[in-house]
Each structure stands twice: as structure tokens, then as C-alpha cells.
Amino acid sequence: MSTLNLGILAHVDAGKTTLTERLLYAAGVIDEIGRVDDGSTQTDTLTLERQRGITIKSAVVSFVIEDVAVNLIDTPGHPDFIAEVERVLSVLDGAVLVISAVEGVQPQTRLLMRTLQRLRIPTLIFVNKIDRAGAQCESLLQSISERLTPAIIPMGSASGLGTRSPSFMPYTAADEDFMSGLVDLLADHDDALLAAYVEDERGVSYRQLRGKLAAQTGHALVHPVFFGSALTGAGVDSLIGGITELLPAAEGETDGPLSGTVFKVERGPAGEKIAYVRMFSGTVRVRDRLQLGGEKEEKVTAISVFDRGSDDQRESIAAGRIGRLWGLGEVRIGDAIGEPRTTLERHYFVPPTLETVVVPRHPAEKGALYVSLTQLAEQDPLIDVRQDDSRQEVYVSLYGEVQKEVIGATLQNDYGIDVEFRETTMICVERPIGVGEAVELLPKARSPTTPFLATIGLRIEPTASDSGVRFGLDVKAGSIPTHVYKTVEAFHEAMERTVLKTLRQGIYGWEVTDCTVTMTDCDYQAPPRRWPGTAASDYRLLTPLVLMGALKRAGTVVCEPIHRFHLEVPSDKFGATVSAMARLRAAVQTQEMRGSSYTLVGEIPAARVHALQQQLPALTRGEGVVECEFDSYKAVRGKFPTRPRTDYNPLDRKEYLLRVMRRV
Ligand SMILES: Nc1nc2c(ncn2[C@@H]2O[C@H](COP(=O)(O)OP(=O)(O)OP(=O)(O)O)[C@@H](O)[C@H]2O)c(=O)[nH]1
Ligand SMILES: [Mg+2]
């Protein structure tokens, strides 16, 4: 039996969880179909999910259809929880992108499809909710083709749209339009097929065409489209047929080299960590010792594998499977088991651009709050908890207001801590604006003003937007302290780690990005020639001082996250909307009148998006529609905002030395 790890993705409320329920029912795993609105589904199991009727965390369920063991991952659609989707993408063999037949292609649909295509994940499209009034079919295909991808092929036709008993009829070889559409689509990537078909239409059998369709779908070149209703079950059998026929099963040698990815971490009833893994190659067994992201090896104490509707305790988990591992106390989301899978990108979506301070209502719970948030951050690394040293305030990063409410409710329900949030502010970045260099020389002996036994010279230079940070060595091999670091690579790695950590807080306290840091000078002293020898801590502690010196000379500009908006308003509300937008620091770049409404396109600071969404209904009698999407970081005009530091400020040499020396 083959295995297929399948993700269900969509804009919020398109019907992913309902479809999951329908698939479990069709596979005979459940006898009764749960309803999101009653809080009775298999995958929305958290109290908060049931109360709110939305999915917050990805959940795995498994079933068997037509000899394929499917592990299905139901993901959240709300943009505040995009991080959950991101982590799942790296473990999928295929995906179903759900689109509501009434709402059509929505902002999140576009973002998800773009990402699925970039990662070359084989994807079927399921147009859901054809039972609802206003359901579209032909015009939706047009819109999918224009806004998502032209490489689509409808696999059948829907009828009874907007009624309680709609249906979906799959096309067959007898449907001429379907056949010619299929050949046209497949021939785009298959010259031989085109030639054969031109020569003799009947020379290519329908079976061969279906085989080619599966192959091209498997390479994410084309996307078959199904229609149906998760609620009534219409079209679901055809979709199941498509999933087993057209999506490629998991591959991987069970006795190959060990390779897997941790995509979810949760805590069990006794507080123990449980890691969800997808194995790509090799086999992990109970009592195996694994070294993941942490320093030490840890023993796997138990394994469960998702299989045919349940997850059962097993002795091992092999390539292709999804399961859970116990015993790994240090495990974090994203950790690789064995050989990491090489992906060029670490983040598929933009990291959170907002943050807020979390304050316990009872000041005595400050410590407990920090510990609980750190635990939540294990399950969601993008929460990124920071505690500022001086005021002892705890910051969390956010995608939006719903996520804030969910964090608040989770702290209350799971940890019994009642919290308030300060106003949401944006997370800026700093970009160097010039080249800066600094050097500190190896002193004759340690002294309170020159306590580090090392020479470090660093240069920082700005690079293009979105290029991130790069680090390189430009020093002679002989100047590297090989009595501390065994190889040049080890030294490079240690220096890079310290440089990246230091750059998390620039001159104004924001993360520094889009630059290259080069080590230009390096020296050390080593026994037996000179005593004492330079230690790793000399490099670790001196680097921040030198780097910030160089950064100060380079100078930085603070840049804020900017979203691109697409806003439709009724024409009589145009004036009021434009003035409101100006108050929100939005810049309208184009405006166009279409019928009785205006379409405005432009830029707005991320920090104002929520206010815009709140004000819009009142401004436009509830008729305004806005779509926002992160665009870029742009220089803040006027005074730069600052962010409190969480480290020993290396910008202040005296203070830094004092505090570091006291700690060492
Ligand atoms: N009429 C109709 N309603 C549907 C259908 N599928 C889902 N719904 C309803 O749409 C709402 C959202 O459904 P969900 O299954 O929670 O959607 P989701 O995509 O999982 O939502 P999130 O996980 O929160 O992004 C619920 O009220 C469902 O009952 C359908 O085929 N027809
Ligand atoms: Mg859901």
C-alpha cells in the first residue's frame, strides 16, 4: 500500500475542515459527519477552535482510500495562523486547494497557490460550496485561470448550483471539449504528445492521456479542478478519485540514510513534548538516539504512526510516514532528523510584522507568564518571545489581532494566567546605509578596558533589499585560533552565529538586515608561546562590541513593514474614504471608477491595516471590500521609532564591559 501525505489549504472559511470530515466519512473512518458549527469535527479539537468555529492549529488524520494510506493535514485559513501552514508545506506530497464557489479566489488563495507553485507541490483544486446561492462555475474557472494559474483543467461539470442537491458529473473520453482541452494543456509540456495527436487524433488513447495528466500533475505543471460541496457530499467521490489517481505517493527508502522533518510540537497531558515528524528516508526506532537542533543526543522513548484512521503505538517509523515521537525534550519545530532536506528558503511566507507587550493582570505572575509564553513559542516559533532587560516586559510577535486573542485565551485556559495586551505596534528592521569598519586589537594583557584576548576587525556593507545577512571571512588561515576551533569552518560558523545574534538589535533596537559582514582582521595568542590562551568566549564577547562599532560608522535607517492594499468602495463614499486613508498614513497610488464603485490601490503601514479593516464598514455602509498583503519594508519618514534592548548594550562600551565582566 502506498502512502500520500496530503495538505488541505484555503482562505479562511472555504470549507477545509468540513471537507476533511467528508473524506473521513467516505473512507469509513467515522460513521457520522461532524459540523464545524456544532464543534463536533475530528480536526478542530481545541476548545478555542470549537468555540470560534475556525481552525487555529494544523491537525493530522489518516484514512485509506483505494489502497492508498492518506495522511491528511487540515490547516487553518486565517492569515494570522499562516505560520501553521508554512510548517506543513515541507512535509507534503500533494495538496488540495479549496476555493469557495461563492466567494471565489480570495487573497489567501492567491498567496497559497503562489507558494504551492514555488515549492512545486502537486495541487488539485476543489471548488466547494456549489450548493450555496450565488455559487459560480464558468466565471470562477475564468477567475482561477486569470488570478491563480492558466494551467488548469476542469474534470467535470457541476449542475444544480445553489440548490440543496447539486451534483458533479466527471467528464469522460466521450466529451470532446474535455478531450481537446486536455490535449492542449498537456501538449504545452509534451511536444511528442502534440506531434502524435496532430498525426492521428485516435493514436493517443484516453488511458495514456490520464497517465500523462497524472505525471504532469505530479510535477505541479497542471492543476485538475473538481467541483462539489463538502456539506452535501456532491463531487467528493470524484475528488477522492483524483487524489488517488493524480497525486504522487510518498517516496523514500526505508533502509536509506535517516532523513525527516519535525513540523509540529505539542505537549502531552503530563507536560511531555511530542514531536510530529514526516520521514523522507530511513527508519527511526524506539530507543534510537537522535541529535536534533539541540546540543545533546536524546533517546526516542515511544513512537506512534498515523495509519488508517488512528495513530497506533509502534516500534518504528519508516520513510514516507507521518507519526509522533516521544522523549525528545529539546526538540523544536523545523528540526531535521538525520540529513536535513535541502530547501533554499527557510521561510515561505513573510514573518510577523507586528508585536505587542503582554502584561499579567497579577504582577506576581510575571515569571510564570514568561515560562508559559516560551512554551507556546516552542509550538509556534514565530511567536518569538522577547523579554526586555531593563523593564522586564515580555514582547510577542504577531500576525494580527485574532492571533492576539488566541494567545490571550490560551494563556487563560491552559496556564490560568490572566493577561492584557498593550497596543499592537509594528516590527521594523534596520538597514545599513553606508560602509562601516571597526577593529579591536589583541592587548598585551587583559585589563578592565581591554579584557578580551583577541583581535577582531569587521566590515559591514549594505546589500540589496530582501537579501538578508551574509557573513564571510577575509583573513589569513594562520590567524585563526586553531587551538580553540578545530577547523576554519567551525570558526566561521561560530563567528557567523555571534554576528547574526548581535544583529538582532541594531542602533535603534531593531533587527539589522540586508547587509554583508566581513571579518577583516583576526589574531589570537596560544600556549605554550603565550599564556593564557585566547578562548572562544573572547571572540563571542568581543564581536558584538566591534560589530556595533562598525554599524555605528555605517549608520542605519529604520524601515517599517508596508502592505499593498486593494480597496473597493461605493463611489458616493469615495471622498470620505480617501480622507480616512490619509489619516491612516496610506498612500493611494491608482484609483479607477468601475460602474458605481471606485477601486483604489496603494500602500499602507502594516500597523494601520487593522484600523482600516475596522473603520471600513462604517465608512462605506458595509459595502467596502479591502485586501491587504505585505509588500516590503520602507524607510520611516521623520523620527525613527526605537525598540527597548534585551541584551547588554554593546553600543555603550563602558556599560557593556562592566556588565559582561561581572557576568563572566
Ligand atoms: N453551504 C455550504 N457550507 C459549507 C460547505 N463547506 C463548508 N461550509 C460551511 O462554511 C463554514 C466554514 O467551514 P469550515 O469547514 O470551518 O472552513 P475552513 O476552511 O476549515 O475554515 P478555517 O479552518 O477557519 O479556515 C462552516 O459554517 C461550514 O458549515 C459547503 O459545501 N456548503
Ligand atoms: Mg478549518
Side-chain angles (χ1 to χ4, degrees):
M1 182 176 291
S2 56
T3 303
L4 170 71
N5 296 298
L6 177 73
I8 303 226
L9 282 72
H11 189 94
V12 66
D13 262 358
K16 298 172 289 295
T17 301
T18 310
L19 179 62
T20 303
E21 204 69 12
R22 198 32 96 168
L23 293 170
L24 287 171
Y25 179 75
V29 172
I30 51 174
D31 302 328
E32 233 175 279
I33 300 180
R35 295 277 305 244
V36 172
D37 310 284
D38 305 335
S40 57
T41 62
Q42 298 294 307
T43 47
D44 283 356
T45 50
L46 301 177
T47 317
L48 270 174
E49 292 180 323
R50 300 197 156 185
Q51 281 166 354
R52 288 171 167 261
I54 60 167
T55 304
I56 295 168
K57 296 236 169 243
S58 298
V60 186
V61 287
S62 70
F63 51 88
V64 175
I65 38 175
E66 294 171 23
D67 223 30
V68 181
V70 180
N71 293 317
L72 184 153
I73 310 183
D74 178 21
T75 63
H78 196 288
D80 281 14
F81 307 115
I82 188 81
E84 285 288 313
V85 185
E86 174 168 282
R87 294 192 275 275
V88 162
L89 288 174
S90 62
V91 307
L92 299 180
D93 302 309
V96 173
L97 182 71
V98 182
I99 302 176
S100 159
V102 181
E103 279 80 19
V105 174
Q106 293 172 283
Q108 201 74 353
T109 328
R110 289 218 302 270
L111 180 69
L112 292 169
M113 188 65 185
R114 271 207 306 268
T115 313
L116 287 165
Q117 285 189 305
R118 209 170 62 227
L119 299 175
R120 297 215 156 276
I121 297 176
T123 302
L124 306 181
I125 295 174
F126 182 67
V127 175
N128 187 31
K129 303 197 183 184
I130 59 168
D131 60 302
R132 267 183 53 194
Q136 301 290 320
C137 187
E138 281 309 312
S139 62
L140 187 54
L141 282 171
Q142 182 70 25
S143 151
I144 293 173
S145 162
E146 283 168 9
R147 302 175 70 190
L148 296 182
T149 167
I152 53 168
I153 175 99
M155 298 300 290
S157 67
S159 55
L161 297 187
T163 69
R164 269 199 221 158
S165 45
S167 62
F168 177 78
M169 269 303 272
Y171 291 133
T172 64
D175 291 287
E176 277 176 19
D177 286 352
F178 172 62
M179 289 298 279
S180 63
L182 193 56
V183 171
D184 275 355
L185 182 74
L186 296 174
D188 274 350
H189 301 282
D190 191 338
D191 293 340
L193 171 67
L194 187 62
Y197 196 74
V198 170
E199 195 159 302
D200 174 11
E201 270 191 34
R202 274 159 304 168
V204 188
S205 74
Y206 183 54
R207 218 167 58 92
Q208 279 174 312
L209 282 181
R210 294 290 294 213
K212 285 181 187 292
L213 178 63
Q216 291 200 14
T217 307
H219 286 105
L221 296 171
V222 300
H223 305 283
V225 182
F226 297 85
F227 288 83
S229 162
L231 208 58
T232 70
V236 173
D237 283 344
S238 299
L239 176 67
I240 290 177
I243 290 172
T244 49
E245 180 198 346
L246 302 173
L247 291 177
E251 290 173 354
E253 300 285 323
T254 53
D255 48 5
L258 206 57
S259 172
T261 296
V262 176
F263 64 95
K264 173 171 168 150
V265 171
E266 65 181 22
R267 282 190 181 259
E272 76 279 18
K273 266 197 192 174
I274 306 170
Y276 284 66
V277 296
R278 153 86 202 253
M279 294 304 297
F280 295 103
S281 164
T283 302
V284 173
R285 296 183 176 79
V286 176
R287 290 180 294 282
D288 275 358
R289 296 189 151 272
L290 299 178
Q291 186 179 5
L292 302 170
E295 304 267 295
K296 59 174 204 270
E297 278 193 346
E298 293 184 296
K299 194 161 81 179
V300 177
T301 54
I303 294 176
S304 77
V305 177
F306 285 92
D307 197 9
R308 300 161 206 227
S310 61
D311 71 322
D312 303 326
Q313 293 288 325
R314 297 278 170 83
E315 274 301 301
S316 65
I317 175 168
R321 312 308 295 263
I322 283 181
R324 304 197 285 172
L325 305 182
W326 278 259
L328 308 172
E330 305 251 304
V331 68
R332 294 183 62 95
I333 290 174
D335 279 353
I337 293 177
E339 285 293 300
R341 276 196 117 200
T342 43
T343 49
L344 293 174
E345 304 163 75
R346 257 183 27 157
H347 288 304
Y348 307 134
F349 303 110
V350 185
T353 54
L354 303 171
E355 69 179 351
T356 183
V357 175
V358 194
V359 192
R361 274 192 221 271
H362 306 291
E365 289 181 336
K366 226 170 199 171
L369 171 65
Y370 186 69
V371 173
S372 328
L373 279 171
T374 320
Q375 282 198 4
L376 287 183
E378 281 166 3
Q379 298 167 24
D380 188 348
L382 290 177
I383 285 184
D384 192 24
V385 183
R386 305 176 348 113
Q387 177 153 310
D388 103 58
D389 239 13
S390 46
R391 285 185 288 180
Q392 296 279 305
E393 283 183 329
V394 186
Y395 287 73
V396 293
S397 54
L398 292 172
Y399 277 106
E401 296 300 310
V402 175
Q403 191 189 8
K404 190 161 150 181
E405 287 170 35
V406 167
I407 293 174
T410 309
L411 287 169
Q412 174 75 268
N413 296 346
D414 297 0
Y415 297 92
I417 302 173
D418 199 5
V419 298
E420 288 174 319
F421 294 94
R422 297 247 179 81
E423 192 199 352
T424 303
T425 52
M426 57 204 164
I427 301 177
C428 296
V429 296
E430 279 181 55
R431 287 190 177 128
I433 41 178
V435 179
E437 290 189 69
V439 61
E440 294 265 344
L441 297 175
L442 181 71
K444 291 219 161 52
R446 288 189 203 269
S447 78
T449 50
T450 54
F452 307 115
L453 290 183
T455 291
I456 296 180
L458 294 169
R459 181 175 64 235
I460 187 161
E461 325 167 51
T463 51
S465 293
D466 296 328
S467 56
V469 178
R470 261 169 302 178
F471 174 74
L473 295 179
D474 183 16
V475 292
K476 288 196 207 77
S479 62
I480 288 169
T482 40
H483 70 288
V484 186
Y485 301 96
K486 288 203 188 82
T487 60
V488 176
E489 288 73 36
F491 178 67
H492 185 286
E493 211 174 280
M495 280 300 295
E496 183 171 56
R497 211 175 314 128
T498 312
V499 162
L500 290 178
K501 189 165 174 227
T502 306
L503 289 181
R504 291 192 69 180
Q505 311 193 53
I507 297 171
Y508 300 92
W510 305 103
E511 181 152 356
V512 180
T513 185
D514 301 336
C515 58
T516 298
V517 176
T518 311
M519 185 163 202
T520 52
D521 294 273
C522 183
D523 200 2
Y524 67 101
Q525 66 181 36
R529 235 168 8 100
R530 282 188 64 187
W531 196 265
T534 301
S537 59
D538 288 312
Y539 281 94
R540 201 177 59 241
L541 296 171
L542 179 55
T543 299
L545 214 56
V546 178
L547 185 53
M548 290 311 269
L551 188 65
K552 222 151 79 178
R553 295 210 177 112
T556 63
V557 56
V558 174
C559 302
E560 63 179 329
I562 300 285
H563 281 232
R564 184 151 204 83
F565 68 80
H566 188 274
L567 174 66
E568 272 173 43
V569 292
S571 49
D572 61 320
K573 296 292 174 187
F574 174 73
T577 308
V578 168
S579 351
M581 296 295 279
R583 284 196 297 277
L584 293 170
R585 292 204 289 127
V588 178
Q589 290 162 336
T590 61
Q591 54 195 56
E592 196 185 325
M593 178 112 167
R594 266 200 217 151
S596 60
S597 70
Y598 263 101
T599 302
L600 309 176
V601 176
E603 292 177 343
I604 181 168
R608 296 284 182 269
V609 168
H610 182 63
L612 170 62
Q613 284 160 345
Q614 277 190 320
Q615 292 175 20
L616 197 63
L619 274 170
T620 61
R621 294 187 299 268
E623 291 172 37
V625 182
V626 68
E627 288 179 8
C628 288
E629 199 181 353
F630 174 83
D631 183 66
S632 56
Y633 285 93
K634 292 218 163 131
V636 171
R637 274 188 242 135
K639 192 169 175 293
F640 290 153
T642 58
R643 188 196 217 188
R645 301 193 75 89
T646 59
D647 61 353
Y648 304 149
N649 185 0
L651 282 167
D652 182 342
R653 185 188 175 92
K654 225 166 110 191
E655 175 72 16
Y656 179 77
L657 290 182
L658 215 70
R659 298 189 66 169
V660 163
M661 296 323 289
R662 227 181 270 150
R663 221 192 105 209
V664 169

